[in-house]
Amino acid sequence: MEEAAILLKQKGLKVTPQRLAILNLLRNTKEHPTAETIYKKLASDFPTMSLATVYKTLEVLKNIGLIQELNVGEGSFRYDANTNSHPHLVCLGCGKVEDLDESVLQNLIEEVKKHTDYKLVEQKLYFYGYCPACQRKLSN
Amino acid sequence: MEEAAILLKQKGLKVTPQRLAILNLLRNTKEHPTAETIYKKLASDFPTMSLATVYKTLEVLKNIGLIQELNVGEGSFRYDANTNSHPHLVCLGCGKVEDLDESVLQNLIEEVKKHTDYKLVEQKLYFYGYCPACQRKLSN
DNA sequence: GTGTTTGCAAACCTTTTGCACGCAG
DNA sequence: CTGCGTGCAAAAGGTTTGCAAACAC
């Protein structure tokens, strides 16, 4: 049985083709797609699947901690199978969303802890700028 | 003439009571209100003002850089007259949103710059946790 | 006076919900 | 078989838009 199916079963969820497809799609991409994007990408394999099912599935996967929801500030959510609340780097030129690593995150958290008496639980960190390729385009 | 009016005039905008009220409200609070909250707070002074006007005004103020829009991840935007893209601290207990200072921000940005070749322009940083008061409530 | 802004209602877009049918276990 | 999951359509919630009337300048 494939890994995604095992993960679902472990959490006591029924393993349906739609759930497998959505989870696998997220686990195999670095693109942080929206619900709409996921829906369209799977439309060819699951022509009858509704957008509501995508949303319901994302909700379930989020609740059991297999994926996380990102809010880059676009009016719709993006989803990520990397559930660390790691920092994201958003390119203002081409719109792509990349990850920054965990080690950077730890340093950022340390810095904030020094300056607050909040008990920190998680964080959503988005840095916006231009990726190397877009920087080159701009300088032309 | 009051400061808010001067700011509007400088940007070539008509100075209307609604605009003044919204801008002043934002400049005199640390609460990061939503459009809805602003609307309700001003309802007693401006009973005929519509929510659409609040939104249109916020859009205008945002475009000329007098306020910024925050997305804490609640499904609605919050607004802030502090236009530095400073980090925010969100209390998971009581929902309040506080600011972290500029000096912390500079350290955070330095750390990220060390690890990326993006040209950074701005950032949206939200740290979630429990404020001291909510920590006390939880431990009871 | 003229063009911008307001206020209302309707439209919009993403996300959520209710419910009958269908499939996984 | 039993109940959870799906698909459809309708609803919801926040935000945006179109347009006529009102107002700033």
Side-chain angles (χ1 to χ4, degrees), chain A residues 69-87:
Chain A
E69 196 173 62
L70 307 181
N71 196 332
V72 179
E74 298 167 314
S76 54
F77 292 113
R78 288 168 176 261
Y79 295 87
D80 190 343
N82 176 350
T83 53
N84 299 330
S85 51
H86 55 287

Side-chain angles (χ1 to χ4, degrees), chain B residues 115-134:
Chain B
H115 297 88
T116 180
D117 44 11
Y118 271 51
K119 180 164 205 78
L120 298 179
V121 172
E122 62 164 332
Q123 57 288 322
K124 294 181 185 162
L125 308 178
Y126 303 102
F127 291 87
Y128 298 82
Y130 292 92
C131 68
C134 287

